[in-house]
Amino acid sequence: MVDGQDKPLYSYKLYIAGKDVDGEGWVYTVSSRSLLEDVFTSVSLKRALEQNDHDEEAAAHPYVVGRCAVAGDSGIDLATESAAAAAAAWAAVPLERRMRVGSRFREELARREEELIGLLVAEGHPVKLARWELSCLTQVYSEESLDWYRQRMHTEFRHGGRRLIVRRQPDGVVAFNPPQNAPAPSAALSVLALMAGNAVVVRAPRSIALSTMFVVRELIAPLLVEAGAPPGVLNAVCSNPGQTVNRWLESPLIHDIFYIGGSQEGLRLQEKCVARGKKPILELAGNDGIIVWKDADVVKAAEAICESFYGSGQICMVPNYVVVHPEAAEALIAEVAAQAAAVRPGYPEDEEVLLSPVRRSERFFALLRQALDLGGELVTGGRRIELDGTPSDTGVFLEPTVVRVNGLTGARQYDIVREETFFPLLPIVVPEPETDDELLDSLIDFVNANQYGLRNSLWSRSSSVVDAFVQRVVNGGLLKVNDSHIGFLPYLPSHGGTGLTGGVFGEANYPMLKTSHIQGVSIAHDVSPRDAVFGS
C-alpha cells in the first residue's frame, strides 16, 4: 500500500540486512495488458510516476501494479557488506535446518501461486507460460530433488578405523543476476544457494523488478526468519546491470557471480571473474535441437517441437532447430505447421495464449531473409500480427514461423540453425538420403557439433536408435527422449550445459552444488600415522 492511497499497490524498498531500506527513486510497473490496450497512457503514467512518485492520482490508476526502489552504488555495496557479515554464521547452521528452507519454499510457492502468477502476467508472461515456469520450480524443490541434493552435500563412509566424510561447503557470498525474460523464477534459485549455506545478494532488473522482489521479500525472506537465519543472509536490490555487476567484480566480499543472460556477455564476465579469483556460474544461451526418427509419433513430436513458440521463443531452453528423418519429413512438417497455426497472440491472462510481444523484430526478418536467400522454404508464418492475429506491418507480435532447410551438410550455414534466435522462428532440417546406419551417425555427429549445449531431444520408437543417442550424445546438459522438451523432472540436473551455454567450466549442474565446493574429512580412531602414510 502506497501512503495515502486506497488502492493496494505492491511497493518494495531495497531489502538489506533484514530491513527495508530507502533507495534513490522508484521504478513503476504498469500492466502488460495496458501496454496492449493503450500504450501511450501506460508509458505516460510510468514516466510521470518515476519523475514524481507523489502523484497520488497516477498511482491510483488501474494500469499501475506496483513499484520498486532503485539502488545506487551505496545500496549495492551495503547489500554486499551485509551478506558478507552474515555468511559465516549461516554456514555454521546444520545442513538439515537449511534444507528445510527449500521444503518450506515449495509450500509457500504453492500457497501463493496465483498471486505470483498474477504478477508474472502483469509483467507480460502469458498465463500458460507462467504456470509452466512455476511447475519447473516445483520440480527443482520437490522432495525427491531435495533428498538428492542432501545426499550430494554430505555423505559418510567407514574405512580402516576412520570415519570418512565427503561434504560440500558453501562458497560464501553468491550474487545473483537474473535475466530480463524470467527474473523471478531465476531469482528463486537463490534458495538453493541459501540451502548450501551461502549468503546471497539478488539483483532485480530495473525494467521488470516487481515479481523478483515479491519472490525475495514475500516468499523467501520470511522463511529465513523462521529458520533463525542472521539478518543479511538474503539481500535484494533493484539496480542497473552494468553498474551492479562491476561493483560485484571489484568487491573482495563476493565469491560467486551467478549470471543468466547472453553468451557473449557471459563469456566476457567469465574472464573478468577468473581474473579476480571469483567463480562464474553461467546460464547462457541455448540452441536446443530435436531429432525426429522415421518411426516417431509425429503428433506428439510436433507437440514438443511447438514448445518452441512458448513466450514467442524468448526462452533459452525451448527447441531451436529440428532434424527429421527424410521418410517422416512431409508428415512432420505438415503436423508442425498445423499446430503452429493454432498458436496465437492475445492478452497474457488468456489461458490459450502462448505468444508474447516481440521487441526489435528487425533481427527476426533479417534471419528469415537470410534463410530464404540460402534456399530455405517458408512453411508457415513470417509476418507481424496484431493482438487478434491479423497480419499487420505494425503488429507487436510475430507469427510462429517454420522454415524447411534441405540438406544436413550445409545446414549450419543458416544462422537460424547455428545460433539461438530468441524468436518464434523454427528451422526443420531434412537431411540428404542415406542408409539408416549412415544417417544415425550423421545426426549424432550433428548434435555433438553444436556450439551450444543446454538440452537435446530425440523422438523414436526404436530401442537401438534410443540406445545409440543415449550412449553417444555428449553435448548438452540434458537429453530428453519421447518427452516434453521444456519440462523439468526430479533428480535430473535442472540447469547448466556445455559450450556457449555454460562457458569453459560448463556442465549440467544443480545450483546448490554449483555454489559450494567439495571438502574431504577423515576422522581416525586408534590409527598409526606411520602406517597411514602407506595407505593402511
Side-chain angles (χ1 to χ4, degrees):
M1 181 83 72
V2 176
D3 291 343
Q5 299 304 305
D6 296 327
K7 183 174 78 73
L9 189 73
Y10 290 96
S11 181
Y12 297 111
K13 296 184 178 182
L14 313 178
Y15 186 66
I16 300 173
K19 297 179 181 178
D20 294 317
V21 176
D22 289 335
E24 300 178 1
W26 299 88
V27 289
Y28 278 76
T29 297
V30 295
S31 72
S32 58
R33 182 185 179 96
S34 72
L35 291 167
L36 295 171
E37 287 181 337
D38 187 347
V39 65
F40 177 79
T41 298
S42 298
V43 172
S44 298
L45 274 170
K46 180 176 170 62
R47 184 180 297 116
L49 284 165
E50 289 175 359
Q51 292 174 351
N52 175 20
D53 62 280
H54 297 297
D55 187 337
E56 297 182 359
E57 182 178 351
H61 196 284
Y63 283 174
V64 180
V65 181
R67 65 180 186 176
C68 296
V70 179
D73 288 348
S74 60
I76 296 167
D77 292 345
L78 182 60
T80 299
E81 292 159 8
S82 298
W90 179 240
V93 169
L95 174 63
E96 289 302 319
R97 192 164 122 207
R98 301 197 310 260
M99 293 295 301
R100 282 197 289 273
V101 175
S103 298
R104 290 284 294 113
F105 177 70
R106 185 185 67 251
E107 293 168 1
E108 285 301 294
L109 194 63
R111 187 175 71 85
R112 303 189 72 172
E113 177 180 7
E114 292 305 316
E115 189 176 4
L116 178 53
I117 285 174
L119 285 176
L120 293 174
V121 169
E123 291 178 338
H125 298 228
V127 66
K128 200 169 185 177
L129 175 64
R131 294 193 192 285
W132 166 73
E133 290 173 305
L134 298 197
S135 75
C136 296
L137 289 176
T138 299
Q139 294 298 347
V140 169
Y141 292 101
S142 69
E143 280 304 320
E144 299 96 329
S145 294
L146 292 177
D147 286 344
W148 180 249
Y149 308 152
R150 186 184 291 106
Q151 292 176 42
R152 306 279 78 75
M153 289 296 294
H154 188 107
T155 306
E156 297 195 15
F157 308 89
R158 289 287 175 178
H159 176 75
R162 297 176 182 85
R163 176 187 171 204
L164 303 182
I165 303 170
V166 179
R167 66 184 183 186
R168 301 192 69 89
Q169 297 284 53
D171 288 342
V173 177
V174 181
F176 277 80
N177 186 77
Q180 292 191 72
N181 64 320
S186 300
L189 300 179
S190 64
V191 175
L192 296 167
L194 289 163
M195 290 193 305
N198 298 290
V200 303
V201 180
V202 177
R203 184 188 78 85
R206 276 194 61 153
S207 60
I208 185 168
L210 197 60
S211 63
T212 301
M213 293 301 292
F214 174 86
V215 167
V216 171
R217 189 67 188 86
E218 304 285 355
L219 300 185
I220 306 175
L223 302 182
L224 291 170
V225 173
E226 181 182 292
V233 165
L234 173 67
N235 307 272
V237 294
C238 171
S239 56
N240 291 320
Q243 171 194 24
T244 308
V245 172
N246 285 337
R247 298 198 79 78
W248 288 345
L249 283 167
E250 296 306 321
S251 172
L253 303 177
I254 296 288
H255 298 94
D256 299 355
I257 298 181
F258 199 121
Y259 179 89
I260 306 177
S263 290
Q264 291 183 356
E265 298 87 348
L267 294 178
R268 285 195 292 267
L269 174 65
Q270 174 181 261
E271 293 180 5
K272 294 175 182 177
C273 284
V274 172
R276 292 163 175 80
K278 303 182 189 298
K279 181 192 286 185
I281 303 173
L282 306 179
E283 294 289 337
L284 307 179
N287 185 31
D288 293 11
I290 292 185
I291 307 301
V292 181
W293 196 247
K294 65 181 182 181
D295 62 350
D297 184 321
V298 167
V299 174
K300 290 181 179 177
E303 289 178 10
I305 289 166
C306 285
E307 292 172 350
S308 175
F309 305 122
Y310 272 59
S312 292
Q314 298 172 107
I315 305 167
C316 64
M317 64 189 69
V318 298
N320 274 267
Y321 71 88
V322 178
V323 183
V324 56
H325 192 293
E327 293 181 26
E330 300 305 326
L332 181 76
I333 290 172
E335 182 62 32
V336 170
Q339 292 194 26
V343 177
R344 62 182 184 83
Y347 291 114
E349 60 267 29
D350 185 336
E351 292 280 357
E352 300 306 313
V353 166
L354 274 181
L355 296 179
S356 303
V358 177
R359 303 180 202 174
R360 297 186 294 274
S361 56
E362 296 78 13
R363 175 64 177 160
F364 167 87
F365 290 103
L367 288 165
L368 180 57
R369 218 168 24 248
Q370 187 223 34
L372 300 181
D373 288 346
L374 287 172
E377 302 169 14
L378 182 63
V379 175
T380 188
R383 299 174 294 184
R384 290 187 180 92
I385 52 176
E386 297 288 349
L387 185 69
D388 62 359
T390 305
S392 164
D393 290 340
T394 58
V396 296
F397 296 90
L398 295 172
E399 281 185 309
T401 301
V402 179
V403 175
R404 176 175 177 147
V405 174
N406 293 307
L408 189 66
T409 305
R412 286 207 169 100
Q413 294 176 17
Y414 293 72
D415 288 347
I416 60 173
V417 177
R418 187 179 64 252
E419 305 288 352
E420 179 190 56
T421 63
F422 234 55
F423 294 117
L425 178 55
L426 182 72
I428 300 181
V429 180
V430 183
E432 303 87 346
E434 293 183 275
T435 68
D436 281 353
D437 287 344
E438 291 171 332
L439 182 57
L440 183 59
D441 289 342
S442 297
L443 294 181
I444 291 172
D445 289 345
F446 191 83
V447 171
N448 283 333
N450 188 1
Q451 296 180 80
Y452 298 81
L454 189 54
R455 297 181 175 205
N456 295 302
S457 282
L458 168 68
W459 282 85
S460 174
R461 293 185 174 100
S462 166
S463 59
S464 62
V465 171
V466 171
D467 289 346
F469 268 78
V470 170
Q471 292 170 16
R472 295 168 54 192
V473 168
V474 296
N475 186 42
L478 199 62
L479 174 61
K480 305 290 286 292
V481 179
N482 299 327
D483 203 351
S484 162
H485 185 86
I486 63 174
F488 277 59
L489 293 166
Y491 302 114
L492 298 185
S494 57
H495 289 78
T498 55
L500 295 179
T501 293
V504 296
F505 307 109
E507 60 174 338
N509 68 72
Y510 308 90
M512 185 175 184
L513 306 189
K514 201 70 171 177
T515 56
S516 57
H517 52 274
I518 288 179
Q519 183 183 67
V521 179
S522 171
I523 303 172
H525 176 71
D526 198 23
V527 170
S528 165
R530 183 178 301 150
D531 293 340
V533 169
F534 300 100
S536 300

